[in-house]
Amino acid sequence: MASSVPAINEKMVKELNPVFQTSGTTGVINHLETKLKCFQNTAVDIAVTGESGTGKSSLINALLAVLDTDQSAAPVDVKETTLRPVAYKHKKFPNVVFWDLPGIGTLNFPACDYLERLGILRFDFFLICGIRFTENDAALAKVILIAGKKFFFVRMKVDTDIEYYKRLGRQEETALEVIQKDCADKLEAVGMHSSGLFLVSSWFPHKYDFARLYETLQNELPKVKRQAFLLTLSNIACSIIEIKVRYLKRRVWRAALLSCLGSAVPLPLVSVICNAKILAREVDFYYQQLGLDDDSLSYLASRYQKPLYSLKGELHHRYMVTEDDLVERMASVAGEKRVVAYTVLSCLPFLGSVPSVALSFEIVSRMLHQLLDELEEDSKRVLKSAVS
């Protein structure tokens, strides 16, 4: 898929020109850095609760993309292991926290004062895990609604039931319909609507409703928190990869402009002035977000029991890890027809005295867009190879 650099639009002009007028070029640089890092200061707190033994801890591990055997994983056991609220932070984005709450209805946490003791207002929303949803789950949901919070029912261990129905000679699609109807009936029997129901398996996050759960959670968050949550999502479906690429492309113009303004120096053999360190940091961020860095590939190989070398064999793009790699990539882009540099100069007057920066901005932007198109294809190939 060919990528084009988006034209300088009114939103960009309105955002940057007032900053320049009050704080000059230094102010613009600081503004761009703050915008690119704003997700680091946004807190997201998600509660995972339900009756004991329903798989809450395994769900948290799947959401955080860690194996149950990892040292940082939520402990998984057949008995009730969660005796108090425990926070599990995302290893790369510690401001996003999943809370493993004690099972409702246990001797330690009776249903009558469950949420009051746990502090309901701290959480953005609740995932109520269950296998057979009960009156305790309904009571919990009603208290959450009264507090003005949102919740979703997560039907756990779907893979186990699918295998049972297969042994009875039923197809997977038919089995899912049976499970869906059974859950809906049970929820409606205790006075709850089933529209917020998701069928998942922590062992197979690429299947069933896991991706739909991800997308729903992101959409239901306040706009200011969506970006932070999106960046924690595992690439368990092509739809998730596509959502991430759209977000990363919206970052490109800020990252490109920052690299061309922030202590920029000429790169050898190509007519581009930019800060190679800033640019390399942004490219590395793309690799991590699309699951193409070594840590992500190793996790995927372990999760799906695939040889690491076979997943790396799906990478058609050559990593850019040195300044020479950046120069080579931008040299090919710089040779293309340049059609927007004059637009950059006319719309962003603080670049008017530095035409080479405007031209560099166009080249860097074009390079990053093309790179993201290639990484998207690599990420999808890796995913399909892992789950096949």
Side-chain angles (χ1 to χ4, degrees):
M1 177 177 61
S3 182
S4 60
V5 180
I8 296 297
N9 57 46
E10 185 178 356
K11 179 181 178 181
M12 299 177 190
V13 175
K14 284 185 176 181
E15 178 180 322
L16 294 183
N17 281 343
V19 177
F20 175 73
Q21 291 169 7
T22 58
S23 305
T25 302
T26 299
V28 172
I29 291 172
N30 292 336
H31 174 83
L32 292 170
E33 289 178 335
T34 299
K35 284 290 188 179
L36 288 171
K37 296 178 180 178
C38 66
F39 63 85
Q40 296 177 354
N41 301 316
T42 303
V44 179
D45 292 276
I46 301 171
V48 182
T49 186
E51 294 193 341
S52 59
T54 54
K56 302 188 303 292
S57 298
S58 290
L59 177 62
I60 287 176
N61 293 336
L63 289 166
L64 290 174
V66 298
L67 301 174
D68 288 344
T69 54
D70 287 354
Q71 187 175 2
S72 62
V76 177
D77 203 336
V78 293
K79 66 178 187 296
E80 182 188 356
T81 58
T82 306
L83 300 178
R84 57 182 175 80
V86 181
Y88 292 94
K89 298 180 179 181
H90 194 280
K91 57 185 176 182
K92 294 180 180 176
F93 305 99
N95 52 311
V96 177
V97 183
F98 290 90
W99 291 83
D100 191 356
L101 303 188
I104 186 173
T106 62
L107 291 176
N108 293 320
F109 286 87
C112 59
D113 62 350
Y114 181 76
L115 287 177
E116 290 183 12
R117 292 176 60 185
L118 297 178
I120 184 174
L121 296 181
R122 81 171 83 171
F123 305 114
D124 291 294
F125 45 65
F126 291 75
L127 302 182
I128 303 176
C129 300
I131 299 174
R132 297 173 181 83
F133 293 108
T134 66
E135 292 183 359
N136 276 341
D137 297 315
L140 174 60
K142 290 173 182 176
V143 174
I144 294 171
L145 283 177
I146 292 172
K149 297 290 183 175
K150 293 183 178 180
F151 65 88
F152 304 94
F153 289 109
V154 184
R155 173 39 163 96
M156 300 296 297
K157 304 181 181 180
V158 171
D159 56 303
T160 302
D161 293 299
I162 294 292
E163 289 303 313
Y164 168 75
Y165 282 112
K166 283 184 176 179
R167 289 195 295 271
L168 297 180
R170 296 190 179 185
Q171 298 295 321
E172 181 172 303
E173 183 177 344
T174 303
L176 285 170
E177 291 175 356
V178 172
I179 297 170
Q180 176 84 25
K181 185 178 185 307
D182 178 66
C183 290
D185 290 344
K186 284 183 169 61
L187 288 173
E188 290 170 7
V190 293
M192 301 307 301
H193 199 277
S194 61
S195 58
L197 171 65
F198 299 86
L199 310 183
V200 307
S201 164
S202 298
W203 288 105
F204 302 101
H206 64 286
K207 301 181 71 174
Y208 315 122
D209 289 339
F210 219 117
R212 188 170 68 87
L213 175 63
Y214 266 158
E215 294 176 34
T216 301
L217 296 184
Q218 188 210 359
N219 292 334
E220 291 294 335
L221 277 169
K223 186 176 181 180
V224 69
K225 297 192 176 192
R226 289 177 193 168
Q227 176 180 329
F229 183 70
L230 170 64
L231 297 177
T232 70
L233 300 186
S234 300
N235 300 310
I236 59 171
C238 289
S239 59
I240 300 296
I241 294 171
E242 291 164 2
I243 291 171
K244 282 193 171 186
V245 169
R246 287 197 294 270
Y247 161 72
L248 293 173
K249 285 186 174 182
R250 290 196 296 270
R251 285 176 56 99
V252 162
W253 75 269
R254 287 193 180 97
L257 189 55
L258 178 62
S259 73
C260 295
L261 288 175
S263 302
V265 296
L267 293 183
L269 306 180
V270 61
S271 302
V272 173
I273 296 177
C274 75
N275 185 315
K277 289 184 178 179
I278 292 176
L279 196 55
R281 187 170 64 238
E282 181 71 8
V283 169
D284 186 62
F285 183 68
Y286 297 166
Y287 292 147
Q288 293 182 27
Q289 279 301 302
L290 297 177
L292 301 176
D293 60 303
D294 286 342
D295 287 346
S296 298
L297 291 171
S298 295
Y299 164 76
L300 207 60
S302 297
R303 161 68 73 177
Y304 295 106
Q305 299 295 298
K306 293 294 176 72
L308 180 58
Y309 70 83
S310 69
L311 298 186
K312 288 188 173 183
E314 300 296 334
L315 303 179
H316 294 186
H317 162 78
R318 182 171 65 85
Y319 264 39
M320 295 192 299
V321 294
T322 67
E323 182 176 303
D324 289 341
D325 294 332
L326 294 171
V327 169
E328 180 182 341
R329 182 68 181 232
M330 282 189 285
S332 63
V333 175
E336 299 178 359
K337 184 178 180 180
R338 299 162 186 157
V339 294
V340 301
Y342 74 92
T343 306
V344 177
L345 286 171
S346 61
C347 292
L348 301 177
F350 57 87
L351 296 181
S353 60
V354 196
S356 58
V357 172
L359 183 58
S360 297
F361 168 75
E362 177 196 350
I363 293 171
V364 172
S365 297
R366 192 180 300 275
M367 184 270 289
L368 291 178
H369 273 270
Q370 291 179 355
L371 173 64
L372 281 170
D373 284 339
E374 295 176 16
L375 296 184
E376 177 180 358
E377 295 304 314
D378 272 0
S379 185
K380 289 179 177 178
R381 276 192 297 270
V382 168
L383 173 64
K384 291 175 181 177
S385 175
V387 303
S388 62

